[in-house]
Amino acid sequence: MEDLVHEKSRSDTETGKRGRSNKLIFGCDKGGKHKSTGSGTQSASKKYGCPFKIRSTPAKNGSGWKIDVKCGLHNHGLPDRLEDHSFIGRLTTDEKQHVADLTKRHVPPRHILLSLQDRDPENVTRITQVYKHKSVIQKEIRGPRSEIQHLFKLIEDAGYVYWSRKKDDSEVVREIFLAHPDSVKLLNIFPIVLVMDSTYKTNKYRQPLFEIVGMTSTELTFAVAFAYMESEQTENFCWVLEKLKELFVKKDMCPQVILTDRDFALMKAIEIMFPMLINLLCRFHINKNVGAKCKQHVVNDLQKTIDTLWMEVVWASDEVEYGQRLHQLEQACVDYSGFFNYVKDTWLTPHRHRFVGAWINRVLHLGNKTTNQVESAHWKLKQMLGNSIGDMVKCWEAMNNNLRLQLGNIRASFQKSFYEVEHAHISPFYGYLRGFVSRASLRHVAEELLRVDYVGTNRQICGCTLRTSYGLPCACELGRYTLGGIPIPIDVVHVHWRKLTMEVELEVGADDGSEVDMTCAMDELWKRFRSIDVIGKRALKSRVCELAYSTMTPLCPPPEKLKTKGGVKKKGKKLAEYDVYRDPSYHESYIEDVVNVESDGNCGFRVIASLHGYGEDGWPMVHRELGLEIIDKDRSTLYDKLFSNRLSEVRESLMIESFGSQPPEKWLTLPNMGYLIVNRYNVVLVCLGNPCMTFFSMTSSHSPNVSIYCIGFVNHNHWVQVNMKEGFPLPPITLDWRKFRSHTETTWMLGFAGRLQHWQLLTPVLA
């Protein structure tokens, strides 16, 4: 062990000059003088002034080396382990290659370290060396190129189609649009329905990532294109959709249906760029918004009934049934006009033709009624990314790897439809379809066949929804084939379901081939180049070089994190002129600052700990105190009534086994935790999200100096601390507080009556 802590401290080589001779001097790695920085930090040095020194010189007879021990003692103890020794922990050549291989596969550094230790149990490398070598690898790969130059090189090497544009009078990139060559091919094969949505927290610049996806005949999702966007305004979306149009081989080809959320800027851009197509809205998000509004306005006993009536309105099969269901909903909401006016004015009157069955059943949407496909694509991408602090290159690598897996699954699904037959489709009735249409379409037909006994050949009873919205034979058609004893003809199946390969050449229209002929353009360019002066020639050459040598582009990423939507984040910062996106927030103009916390499943408890003065890392203390609150004997009756049969579930959610990341069942949820927080800490809790709500204590009366904790729920999965202006309006009080509070607690409503009323006055203006 002693030999391992010695290092060569000085050497010399004989050159014939005076005083130069061959020698090696070994010293202890703790030799030298300890230097104190005086910075007050916890920095340290291994230098301890150790006097150990050995001098070695070649023997005069040339038989070896002569060793002279100058000092054989150490002034310190020797370590029994060398776990943190920088020299001993160096990576060998083989280990460096192993780190490089695993890094290429996006293996986290902690797992790379464990792999090195599995290969060599005596290995004393620490994770710092792994991080350092990963950094070296990345620098070697990128070389002298900037981030955008390296991104463009990777994109070009992979054969992507891409466009970019920069901000006026600067070299800062504004938007980048990119599409994989196989994605372009799939888009031209399956162009009927596209789903679009943005996702956030994918890169350190906070640029939204807009994703467009389509659906194959085997009902698998494929990514059409991605776009980094400066902002989510109509003009930005128009630029992206313009580039999308250029991916179609034929001029007259375009999607028939685009499915989105109710993002007004995107909807307006679609109307401008694709005026003839149908823009459907996601049913899932609409139902979620309506359900949240129902909880806000309607008492618990009626919520389930009204939710059911709302779903019957959404699923109405024709306009007559729609009118009947809507009348029933209106009768049930006679005491809740605020809720009924919301669903009518916000959703049904302006948008019923975009999501209600009576209208969308006439649209060839191929079963796409929600944006779940693109939401799932977002989730898979973020799983591949691992975190949101990487640059655009890291984000593209994750996209590309995700696409490779996606395309492999799609090719496999085509082969399955060719060569595998499901047991339900063995019947001769499917003889003309097996192996020529996708198995997914056969499943839809088999399900529809079950309706034949009821429908027969009656078209009015059938409704023909499968024919109009899927392009497949409906029950009345199948009834006629059954009566005639003939198999289902293949020509009654829409061509979308008959495409089972992507290994085809895309057909170009008769008038489209000229678009790729550059002969005239190049001749005109040379003619112009020869006719202008030297300054003009330099300018023209510069513009041409930007196209020819894109990897030498001067473009650079945004210098700071961008604000894309939402409330004001910093004091004194005014709201920019943004488009209207989704439902406007009643509280945006009152927000002073938003403070983020770590996203590890403990974010809600971290926010409460920070507000209560424990600091973000004091979240385990909040867990413990809320756990004590729910088992408090003096309040057992209250919580028995409040939580009823959910009491054990709420209590269990507060019991954690470790201080690391927590599973979803351990996350902070409202309203359950809201009542525990206000009762335990005697504060007012305000939640800004969907829905917005206020929690008052059920165990104490109003106090004029009470603290107000304001928290926000963002991205459907994360809590943040929201700092509000003094005297900000308070959203509605939770219904359970009104139901279970005692008479003395009514003073809370009296004390905050003005602020509660202010919110109600704002609601009709902003909603």
Side-chain angles (χ1 to χ4, degrees), residues 99 132 146 162 191 218 363 483 516 565 587 662 699:
V99 172
K132 286 180 179 178
S146 69
Y162 71 99
T218 54
V363 176
L483 287 175
V516 296
K565 65 167 63 174
H587 49 268
Q662 303 298 327
T699 59

Side-chain angles (χ1 to χ4, degrees), residues 328-397:
Q328 292 174 358
L329 178 64
E330 186 175 11
Q331 292 298 310
C333 296
V334 66
D335 295 327
Y336 307 103
S337 58
F339 169 74
F340 184 75
N341 289 337
Y342 164 76
V343 298
K344 187 176 180 181
D345 298 339
T346 305
W347 298 110
L348 295 178
T349 300
H351 301 302
R352 62 177 178 270
H353 61 288
R354 301 180 190 273
F355 71 95
V356 175
W359 285 270
I360 70 169
N361 286 346
R362 307 169 190 168
V363 176
L364 186 63
H365 54 63
L366 304 174
N368 293 276
K369 291 171 281 192
T370 71
T371 57
N372 290 352
Q373 294 93 332
V374 71
E375 298 281 357
S376 175
H378 293 338
W379 179 83
K380 290 177 181 177
L381 173 61
K382 289 187 176 182
Q383 289 291 106
M384 192 73 77
L385 273 171
N387 60 57
S388 60
I389 59 175
D391 58 17
M392 291 182 177
V393 172
K394 181 183 176 184
C395 194
W396 176 83
E397 288 173 343

Side-chain angles (χ1 to χ4, degrees), residues 574-621:
K574 296 181 180 179
L575 278 170
E577 294 297 325
Y578 295 115
D579 284 307
V580 179
Y581 297 108
R582 300 177 176 88
D583 296 315
S585 302
Y586 312 149
H587 49 268
E588 282 185 357
S589 59
Y590 294 92
I591 296 176
E592 285 193 336
D593 193 15
V594 175
V595 182
N596 199 8
V597 296
E598 186 177 345
S599 305
D600 60 351
N602 301 304
C603 55
F605 297 100
R606 287 180 179 275
V607 171
I608 299 301
S610 179
L611 286 166
H612 200 60
Y614 293 157
E616 180 184 334
D617 293 332
W619 66 266
M621 194 176 301

Side-chain angles (χ1 to χ4, degrees), residues 656-713:
I656 57 174
E657 297 179 356
S658 67
F659 293 148
S661 298
Q662 303 298 327
E665 60 269 17
K666 303 293 183 182
W667 295 356
L668 185 143
T669 57
L670 295 185
N672 296 339
M673 294 300 154
Y675 297 115
L676 297 177
I677 291 167
V678 296
N679 291 341
R680 181 69 183 184
Y681 301 123
N682 194 29
V683 298
V684 175
L685 179 67
V686 175
C687 170
L688 302 180
N690 194 358
C692 299
M693 60 184 103
T694 299
F695 293 83
F696 290 143
S697 173
M698 295 179 168
T699 59
S700 64
S701 56
H702 171 257
S703 169
N705 298 319
V706 67
S707 297
I708 301 180
Y709 292 176
C710 189
I711 62 177
F713 193 55

